[in-house]
Amino acid sequence: MTTNQQLKPITVERNKNLYIGGCKMEDLAEKYGTPLYVIDEKTLRSVCHDYKNAFKKYPHTKMMYASKALCTSAVSKILDSEGFGFDTVSIGEIYTILKSGISLEKVLFNGNNKTEEELDFAIKNGIGRISVDNFAEVDLISKVGGKYNTNVDVLLRITPGIECHTHEYIQTGQLDSKFGFDLSQTDEVIKKITTEHQNIRIRGLHAHIGSQIFEPQCFHDEIDVLIQEISRIEEKFGIKLDEINIGGGLGVKYTEKDMPPSINEVADVIIASLEKHIEKYNTEPPMLYIEPGRSIISTSGVTLYTIGSMKQVPNMTKYVTVDGGMADNPRPSMYQAEYEAEIANDISNRIEEKVTIAGRFCESGDILIKNIVLPKPETGDILCVYNTGAYNYSMASNYNRVEKSAMVLVNNSQSDIIVNRETLDDLISHDVIPDRLK
Ligand SMILES: *Cc1c(COP(=O)(O)O)cnc(C)c1O
């Protein structure tokens, strides 16, 4: 069993109260306020260890954490200390990593509409790789590289014709996607780069086939396409590409019914596929880059809420409302994501009942969890929602003009703030009243 297959952080303990990382959740709620994001350092490091261990058999592997899942300075520091590089998608993520004291050499910049300002910042600060997504970007990268008199190492982002989400798996020759080059366009972009832009060095190919993937076979087929393409490019253009980046996407266990494969299982499929296709297409073993986001950070994170009002609709749903919702976790309202939760404080001698956890925001769709059985919730209880490390804080908004929540890191009974709660003054800090309205 690897960490991505666990619903809860690995340090969870329950006697009367719920503890994570040796810290009593009720105490954290009291000390830092709610809603509160909590990240368990041991769980995070344990996933990193799982990944490193699983890919030992293929020594040419580089792990890149997909920052978009959760990008903060302290989280970046932990991933860096575990030897991970970073996959980034904006100047904001790159800036966060740089300001955390991490070299951009280990960073890949990816995205389907990077601006000149972003490319300028990335190239000026020595970004390791840029994933070229489209034709317009080729000229822009070359222009900025010229400005700093530097060669730029790039991967070509391709759409391999494989799309995989959880159990759905689509394989076609072509994919209608906004990301990357269609396979029928790779020759043209290679010609463009090699004839017009000597300061761009193509190092390899990049693809990403989906998220919350439960089916390792998707990666097998993705690697087939990538290695075949590398071998074809070498034959046709005499260019040796020695890197493949297969993206991220491994799934996690949000609810009891989710059964994601272990990191070992997925690594074994990836490595077996690499070895098979290296032999089949007679190429050198490439450097393998993987960029997991969700499966790195999701399980480490929980969110604490305080239960407030309740409403029993006669003969229907009982709504239990918490002090957060779609602004700190938009996933349930965006794509019907499901979560498990428990009450963190002492719930001895309570009978169970089925309730719906509602958020506090002014949208009927702001429901965090539908029909969950809990020991009869009471106003003032602390609710702990599991697996909120990925795509929660990173997707958070100030909807209803509510301050973004704080985040703490827990380990060995210690808790440290890693993101301060926004203040009311933060909320208005960018507002401007023109003179004529004063
Ligand atoms: C989003 C993304 C990832 C990370 O995906 P997860 O499902 O969070 O693992 C990796 N690579 C690319 C290119 C992405 O867009």
Side-chain angles (χ1 to χ4, degrees):
M1 181 131 140
T2 50
T3 316
N4 67 308
Q5 297 177 295
Q6 316 230 20
L7 182 74
K8 304 177 180 181
I10 60 173
T11 62
V12 157
E13 286 173 276
R14 176 114 221 180
N15 39 44
K16 277 193 162 68
N17 283 275
L18 180 69
Y19 288 76
I20 297 173
C23 297
K24 192 171 165 184
M25 293 299 101
E26 202 182 2
D27 291 349
L28 295 189
E30 165 88 31
K31 181 169 180 189
Y32 302 103
T34 55
L36 181 69
Y37 299 107
V38 180
I39 302 288
D40 180 43
E41 187 173 341
K42 277 220 169 68
T43 304
L44 176 51
R45 292 193 187 273
S46 153
V47 187
C48 295
H49 181 82
D50 287 340
Y51 266 105
K52 288 188 273 191
N53 208 30
F55 282 92
K56 260 198 195 123
K57 282 163 274 176
Y58 191 76
H60 320 282
T61 307
K62 285 198 175 154
M63 318 275 174
M64 313 280 275
Y65 168 60
S67 281
K68 74 173 191 277
L70 175 62
C71 181
T72 78
S73 306
V75 167
S76 303
K77 277 297 219 197
I78 294 173
L79 269 303
D80 181 53
S81 76
E82 291 292 337
F84 277 60
F86 297 85
D87 163 51
T88 60
V89 291
S90 73
I91 190 172
E93 291 183 2
I94 295 171
Y95 188 75
T96 305
I97 290 164
L98 188 67
K99 286 284 171 177
S100 307
I102 299 165
S103 161
L104 292 194
E105 218 174 292
K106 304 168 38 170
V107 177
L108 167 75
F109 186 19
N110 177 48
N112 68 317
N113 193 19
K114 309 171 191 79
T115 65
E116 183 165 351
E117 181 204 2
E118 289 182 306
L119 288 168
D120 193 293
F121 185 82
I123 291 170
K124 181 171 65 188
N125 288 290
I127 195 97
R129 296 281 183 279
I130 294 176
S131 181
V132 181
D133 196 274
N134 52 70
F135 287 103
E137 202 173 274
V138 173
D139 298 317
L140 214 47
I141 291 172
S142 175
K143 178 179 158 194
V144 177
K147 177 175 165 191
Y148 294 106
N149 200 15
T150 179
N151 291 326
V152 186
D153 289 318
V154 304
L155 305 179
L156 302 181
R157 172 84 182 254
I158 60 161
T159 42
I162 292 162
E163 195 173 42
C164 189
H165 296 281
T166 311
H167 295 295
E168 281 169 71
Y169 175 20
I170 309 160
Q171 188 171 15
T172 59
Q174 235 179 351
L175 199 63
D176 193 357
S177 163
K178 72 170 184 174
F179 294 107
F181 296 97
D182 188 83
L183 285 176
S184 63
Q185 301 172 315
T186 47
D187 282 6
E188 195 185 335
V189 69
I190 291 170
K191 265 188 219 136
K192 184 176 167 72
I193 291 175
T194 50
T195 57
E196 297 170 30
H197 301 295
Q198 249 76 76
N199 64 346
I200 298 180
R201 291 190 299 220
I202 312 171
R203 303 295 302 266
L205 300 179
H206 182 204
H208 173 71
I209 54 172
S211 207
Q212 189 60 353
I213 292 173
F214 284 10
E215 183 48 75
Q217 183 66 22
C218 304
F219 294 108
H220 173 279
D221 295 346
E222 179 192 12
I223 288 167
D224 184 356
V225 174
L226 288 168
I227 303 277
Q228 183 177 3
E229 194 60 11
I230 279 192
S231 140
R232 194 190 65 77
I233 290 168
E234 185 176 357
E235 211 158 277
K236 179 153 184 184
F237 294 95
I239 302 174
K240 246 195 121 20
L241 304 183
D242 52 11
E243 297 180 3
I244 64 167
N245 182 324
I246 61 170
L250 175 57
V252 299
K253 189 178 177 71
Y254 283 113
T255 65
E256 290 296 348
K257 59 180 191 296
D258 289 339
M259 296 293 170
S262 73
I263 294 169
N264 295 326
E265 240 175 287
V266 174
D268 289 348
V269 169
I270 290 171
I271 294 165
S273 172
L274 267 172
E275 286 167 352
K276 177 174 140 192
H277 294 108
I278 287 166
E279 194 176 314
K280 180 172 167 192
Y281 300 113
N282 193 23
T283 55
E284 294 288 310
M287 184 63 78
L288 169 71
Y289 287 79
I290 55 166
E291 346 171 276
R294 188 190 311 273
S295 56
I296 295 281
I297 196 70
S298 183
T299 318
S300 317
V302 304
T303 306
L304 304 181
Y305 300 98
T306 303
I307 292 175
S309 63
M310 313 221 188
K311 173 183 177 180
Q312 173 73 62
V313 182
N315 304 317
M316 293 177 83
T317 307
K318 177 167 182 180
Y319 291 96
V320 170
T321 306
V322 295
D323 54 356
M326 64 187 291
D328 60 80
N329 181 2
R331 297 187 68 255
S333 48
M334 253 173 83
Y335 27 72
Q336 290 77 51
E338 293 180 40
Y339 287 92
E340 304 275 0
E342 68 183 282
I343 295 174
N345 45 282
D346 186 357
I347 30 101
S348 317
N349 309 320
R350 290 197 201 173
I351 49 155
E352 295 195 320
E353 67 176 0
K354 192 193 271 184
V355 300
T356 284
I357 307 295
R360 59 157 294 174
F361 297 92
C362 299
E363 285 281 334
S364 296
D366 181 25
I367 299 292
L368 280 178
I369 305 174
K370 270 189 191 141
N371 299 324
I372 181 173
V373 175
L374 289 174
K376 196 174 171 18
E378 292 173 9
T379 299
D381 281 346
I382 304 302
L383 188 75
C384 174
V385 177
Y386 289 108
N387 247 296
T388 60
Y391 304 109
N392 273 230
Y393 176 75
S394 66
M395 286 185 164
S397 76
N398 290 111
Y399 184 51
N400 285 186
R401 205 68 160 170
V402 169
E403 312 95 297
K404 278 190 196 146
S405 304
M407 190 180 298
V408 296
L409 183 70
V410 294
N411 199 16
N412 295 328
S413 307
Q414 190 181 329
S415 66
D416 296 292
I417 198 99
I418 58 172
V419 179
N420 282 312
R421 186 175 303 282
E422 284 184 349
T423 63
L424 291 172
D425 283 327
D426 288 334
L427 288 177
I428 59 164
S429 65
H430 296 277
D431 289 10
V432 177
I433 302 175
D435 280 343
R436 65 188 175 81
L437 297 182
K438 282 178 183 162

